[in-house]
Amino acid sequence: MRMQVYALLAIMALTVAVAAGQAMDSLGTVPGLAVGVLGLALIVGSGMWMLRKGRHTPWPEAEAALADGAAVALWKPGCSFCELLLRALADDERVVWVNVWRDDDANQRVRELNDGAEYTPTVLVGDTVLRNPSAAAVREALASGT
């Protein structure tokens, strides 16, 4: 998973290098350097966003919290839907966050729940599985105790 991110960043860097080279040939040195600097900034920003650590609870602890009535949100860095849910539920202490890229057991569980796909966010509340839920859907599931 992390290697996929590194490969994507390498492809992005190569693409920016080619674009900067072409811009230098056709437009001149300054525009070419501008393309290169802008592209490098985008790559660094993307890499920092996709590789950030974020909230993480090890799967055994999260599983225990699930048994105690908490919601367990399985997420991964770089997922914009995960980021939206995290921001919406940031202050809700009933939600435990598990980064599936940092925990092999959690990664295996999210794949079991989603027919082999690493589909995130996947939220567990009791026996209920919510795929890409809204914050309201998670709160409703927690309130109903399902």
Side-chain angles (χ1 to χ4, degrees):
M1 292 147 277
R2 191 172 280 272
M3 293 306 295
Q4 291 170 335
V5 172
Y6 288 134
L8 177 63
L9 293 173
I11 291 168
M12 289 171 65
L14 181 60
T15 303
V16 166
V18 169
Q22 288 179 342
M24 284 180 171
D25 282 347
S26 63
L27 301 174
T29 304
V30 174
L33 288 176
V35 168
V37 169
L38 179 61
L40 184 60
L42 289 172
I43 291 168
V44 169
S46 297
M48 289 174 62
W49 184 58
M50 288 189 289
L51 295 172
R52 70 182 177 78
K53 301 234 188 238
R55 292 185 181 188
H56 176 67
T57 302
W59 178 247
E61 291 176 36
E63 212 169 17
L66 182 62
D68 291 337
V72 174
L74 302 168
W75 73 281
K76 64 185 171 199
C79 170
S80 58
F81 299 108
C82 297
E83 190 68 33
L84 290 171
L85 190 63
L86 175 61
R87 287 182 183 182
L89 296 173
D91 295 333
D92 196 328
E93 295 178 6
R94 302 171 298 169
V95 181
V96 177
W97 298 88
V98 182
N99 181 339
V100 298
W101 283 5
R102 290 182 59 191
D103 192 309
D104 290 336
D105 293 333
N107 190 281
Q108 179 180 353
R109 184 67 180 130
V110 79
R111 288 176 184 279
E112 288 170 2
L113 293 167
N114 296 298
D115 297 323
E118 193 179 83
Y119 189 77
T120 57
T122 297
V123 179
L124 308 173
V125 182
D127 292 333
T128 302
V129 178
L130 305 169
R131 292 168 184 87
N132 193 19
S134 66
V138 173
R139 287 187 189 107
E140 183 180 320
L142 281 165
S144 68
T146 58

